[in-house]
Amino acid sequence: MKPFAGLLLRWEFIFLALAILLGAGAAVAYWASRATVLTVAVAPRDGTEPALIQAYADAVAKRHKEIRLRILPFDDVRDSAEALRDGRADLAVVRPDVDLPDNGLTLAILRDQAMIIAAPEVSGIDRFPDLDRKRLAILAHRDADEALIRALLGHYGLTLVTIDPEAPLGLRQVALVEMAEADLAAAFARKRVDAVISVIAPTAPTAQRIIETVQAASRNRKVSFVDMENADAFVARMPRLQAVTMPAETFGGSPKVPESDVRTVGASYRLMARANLPRSVAADVTQHLFELRSGMANVTPAADYVVAPAYDSTVGATSARLPIHPGAVDYFEREQQSFIERYETWIYLLAFLGGGIGSALAWIGQRLSRLRRERVEEATDRLLAIRHEAQNTEDRDRLHALAREIDDLAGDIAKHALERPTEARTMSAASIAIDASRSTVKRAIATGRHDDASSSAEAVAAKISAAAE
């Protein structure tokens, strides 16, 4: 019988398979729990958004959230929108009225802006037609803001010009005069400008300072705001904007500034995500942005202006002119997926593979047990065959050869029993076969010696008898 070591698989292979299975499970667990790194395109460089997004990135990293942000800065919102469109960024700061990427869906509104046109009350400017041949001061001149102002004035038949501030204006022309905030008071005093225009968040500190300067230029400290009576009609023409109402007393209550609600239009800076960003990831980004907002406000005041986009229903949110990402809607509706729901496909796959591997290991174990049993049974059968052969042979050399074979078989069985567990019933049968075959061979050898002696005695007696005769 051949040695069992060269015929059977060793237990080390089973342990290796188990180690591979455990390693695969650990790899899946690591993959499921690792932080997701997202690239966010941020613009404009001179706006409040870079500081806000940096504060957000620092906050999620500090609190070991499941997302990380890699910031990709740009000078203009057109560039950040393009980065989202061509796949260089997963998230982007976008101003929809300037450039709306076709694969961008809203997560949050970072800053809502309104077009504010304010003048001392004595100027008599409170409607758009009153701006004919007037000069408007603008403090932060951005191309996106100028495009909005030009479109809005054009809606009322007015033409925006950027000529020399001292040059005379033609009929239905409006001049835009760029200047620093520190020069605004002097410009009002010297009649260089008639009003100030700004696309800004009404609650921002800069907006408050601008209106205070206009108040100071008014003898009765009253401020006149240009009211846009049909803001909804303009938004219908430019659907990427929104109608905005500034409540009375937004800038102060004594005197009331403004005295009544002011209707105007505005734009928004939005944090958008690519449409194919997984819902669970988009939900996490939105959740952490709002949950960490209060802490971020200690770093930058811009965090206080982050708001959720308004919508009436889930269907309306995802089918609006500026659609909201389904993941963000999940957070707003408190319908975020649980861990099991997020990774149920992987869990089922792992369970399926684990079951298959477990079945394979069980089969290998059964196969090994069967091989062990078969080999011992073969040895047992051979031992029984040796016993039968010993009972029917008188050849002493053959009997001695059978005795050596019994010893070899017994040694192989003993070695196998030490290396691998074997069924007790099988080993008991093998032990009985060893004892029986060995006893039979011994008796056969002993009987053969006795027979040889008797034959010799008889031969000697015959010779003596023959000699006597």
Side-chain angles (χ1 to χ4, degrees), residues 74 123 144 208 258 297 327:
F74 291 97
S123 66
Q208 186 69 44

Side-chain angles (χ1 to χ4, degrees), residues 435-457:
D435 293 340
S437 59
R438 183 171 285 156
S439 176
T440 301
V441 170
K442 285 182 179 180
R443 286 199 307 271
I445 292 174
T447 302
R449 287 174 179 172
H450 175 73
D451 292 342
D452 289 346
S454 299
S455 298
S456 297

Side-chain angles (χ1 to χ4, degrees), residues 57-351:
D58 294 340
V60 293
K62 181 179 179 180
R63 290 164 177 78
H64 306 288
K65 298 298 184 180
E66 61 274 20
I67 62 169
R68 296 289 187 274
L69 299 181
R70 185 174 70 88
I71 297 177
L72 192 62
F74 291 97
D75 292 329
D76 190 80
V77 288
R78 291 183 178 86
D79 299 326
S80 59
E82 184 64 27
L84 185 65
R85 181 182 292 111
D86 62 22
R88 284 177 292 157
D90 305 295
L91 311 171
V93 176
V94 175
R95 182 166 158 175
D97 64 304
V98 176
D99 189 3
L100 179 63
D102 52 10
N103 65 333
L105 299 176
T106 299
L107 298 182
I109 297 176
L110 303 180
R111 180 165 42 123
D112 253 333
Q113 295 184 311
M115 179 176 290
I116 300 175
I117 305 176
E121 187 184 46
V122 294
S123 66
I125 300 174
D126 56 15
R127 298 171 59 249
F128 270 90
D130 299 334
L131 296 175
D132 186 16
R133 300 186 183 185
K134 295 296 189 295
R135 291 178 171 82
L136 305 179
I138 186 168
L139 306 184
H141 189 185
R142 296 189 181 94
D143 293 341
D145 293 345
E146 181 178 332
L148 175 57
I149 295 170
R150 191 181 299 277
L152 189 55
L153 292 175
H155 181 71
Y156 291 95
L158 301 172
T159 302
L160 182 67
V161 295
T162 54
I163 60 174
D164 183 349
E166 304 298 332
L169 296 173
L171 182 65
R172 308 194 70 78
Q173 287 186 338
V174 180
L176 197 62
V177 183
E178 184 178 359
M179 65 179 60
E181 183 181 343
D183 299 329
L184 182 59
F188 274 117
R190 296 173 184 175
K191 307 296 183 182
R192 292 183 57 229
V193 296
D194 303 290
V196 61
I197 186 169
S198 182
V199 181
I200 193 171
T203 55
T206 302
Q208 186 69 44
R209 293 196 304 269
I210 291 173
I211 300 305
E212 289 175 354
T213 301
V214 177
Q215 275 187 298
S218 177
R219 285 193 291 265
N220 59 2
R221 293 189 59 79
K222 291 187 177 181
V223 180
S224 177
F225 291 87
V226 172
D227 184 79
M228 191 173 182
E229 299 175 357
N230 297 314
D232 292 335
F234 183 74
V235 171
R237 288 181 52 190
M238 299 187 67
R240 296 176 183 177
L241 300 173
Q242 61 262 10
V244 179
T245 299
M246 289 192 303
E249 301 186 26
T250 296
F251 302 102
S254 182
K256 292 182 178 180
V257 181
E259 291 186 346
S260 59
D261 294 349
V262 176
R263 293 160 294 181
T264 184
V265 295
S268 60
Y269 286 87
R270 297 179 175 232
L271 180 62
M272 287 191 164
R274 52 183 171 85
N276 60 351
L277 187 70
R279 291 178 66 158
S280 59
V281 177
D284 289 339
V285 173
T286 308
Q287 175 183 351
H288 299 325
L289 177 62
F290 285 97
E291 288 182 348
L292 301 175
R293 181 176 48 176
S294 58
M296 292 158 51
N298 295 328
V299 179
T300 171
D304 288 328
Y305 306 122
V306 178
V307 296
Y311 63 93
D312 296 327
S313 64
T314 302
V315 174
T318 55
S319 61
R321 291 173 174 174
L322 297 175
I324 304 173
H325 197 289
V329 175
D330 288 342
Y331 167 68
F332 298 137
E333 299 288 341
R334 298 301 188 268
E335 294 181 354
Q336 289 172 266
Q337 295 176 321
S338 65
F339 179 86
I340 298 297
E341 292 171 330
R342 289 186 187 185
Y343 302 109
E344 60 180 347
T345 301
W346 290 100
I347 292 173
Y348 291 149
L349 180 60
L350 182 60

